[in-house]
Amino acid sequence: MLTKSLDRLAETIEQENAALLARDLTALSEFNRRKSQSLLEITRLIRSTNEGSLAGELTQRFAELREKLEINQDILARYMRAAQEVSEIISGAIHSANSDGTYSAPLTHAGASA
């Protein structure tokens, strides 16, 4: 049961990564819902599983899942940085458009006296 849950989560992460790399953001909320559901399911299954039975194949599956999650985290972080940069550009443009220069320091050319 736990291996099936791990497989579903891995598949969800792979699908999300593929969508993000293809710049398809239409299903992000669905991916988030599926990842949250998988996390809850896996957490419940681990709590009900004997710690000794988590060795071997499951240890490898968790390691593979961790690698997929690290890739996912990297891709999502790049999207967040890009969104932040776009936000700063838009904010600056709005500020410039709304400013009449009254409270701004005058711009002078290098070497020119004010």
Side-chain angles (χ1 to χ4, degrees), residues 16-96:
E16 182 181 36
N17 288 347
L20 289 168
L21 292 173
R23 294 183 175 92
D24 178 8
L25 308 180
T26 58
L28 289 184
S29 60
E30 175 62 17
F31 289 129
N32 190 45
R33 184 194 64 75
R34 287 170 49 194
K35 288 190 298 185
S36 295
Q37 184 178 5
S38 290
L39 178 61
L40 178 62
E41 184 179 325
I42 290 168
T43 301
R44 287 178 177 165
L45 288 168
I46 288 175
R47 286 182 182 158
S48 67
T49 303
N50 182 354
E51 190 174 310
S53 65
L54 292 178
E57 182 183 337
L58 286 179
T59 302
Q60 180 62 32
R61 284 182 186 252
F62 277 113
E64 292 168 1
L65 184 60
R66 181 184 183 103
E67 289 175 21
K68 292 176 192 299
L69 285 167
E70 287 172 353
I71 293 168
N72 184 256
Q73 181 181 8
D74 181 58
I75 295 169
L76 289 171
R78 282 188 267 152
Y79 267 91
M80 294 300 294
R81 283 191 302 274
Q84 179 66 36
E85 289 177 21
V86 169
S87 171
E88 289 170 1
I89 291 168
I90 292 171
S91 177
I94 290 170
H95 178 71
S96 294

